[in-house]
């Protein structure tokens, strides 16, 4: 999965919006790290729920924390969709 494709852009934009809502701040960079923006395990649960609802995926709290940036999460989600 390469950043720059239409699918990547759609997933990235969706994740940026979800992170912004969950964290209560504007998140603009896909390289920002979830925990560096002030997230905790509760925020990870909320983000995973929102991502799974909006993108129809199966992202866990652990995956949110392990794939620390929007870029990493977008690529992981797209890999799962492609299977």
């Amino acid at each position: 999965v390469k950043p720059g494709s239409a699918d990547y852009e759609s997933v990235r934009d969706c994740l940026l919006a979800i992170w912004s809502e969950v964290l209560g701040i504007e998140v603009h960079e896909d390289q920002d790290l979830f925990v560096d923006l002030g997230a905790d395990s509760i925020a990870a649960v909320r983000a995973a729920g929102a991502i799974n609802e909006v993108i129809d995926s199966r992202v866990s709290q652990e995956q949110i924390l392990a794939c620390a940036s929007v870029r990493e999460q977008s690529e992981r989600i797209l890999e799962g969709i492609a299977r």
Side-chain angles (χ1 to χ4, degrees):
V1 176
K2 300 215 185 310
S5 71
D7 288 341
Y8 173 83
E9 302 277 328
S10 298
V11 172
R12 183 203 62 202
D13 291 347
C14 184
L15 291 180
L16 287 171
I18 289 170
W19 279 28
S20 293
E21 183 177 331
V22 166
L23 297 174
I25 60 172
E26 288 297 316
V27 181
H28 299 285
E29 300 295 326
D30 65 1
Q31 292 296 329
D32 287 339
L33 302 179
F34 197 60
V35 293
D36 287 350
L37 296 171
D40 57 16
S41 59
I42 303 291
V45 169
R46 291 180 56 221
I51 291 166
N52 292 333
E53 183 176 319
V54 173
I55 300 178
D56 191 27
S57 61
R58 294 185 185 264
V59 174
S60 69
Q61 167 193 351
E62 292 80 14
Q63 289 169 322
I64 297 287
L65 296 171
C67 295
S69 71
V70 165
R71 176 173 286 202
E72 288 178 278
Q73 286 181 19
S74 298
E75 291 171 351
R76 180 74 55 93
I77 288 169
L78 287 170
E79 287 171 4
I81 291 171
R83 290 182 187 166

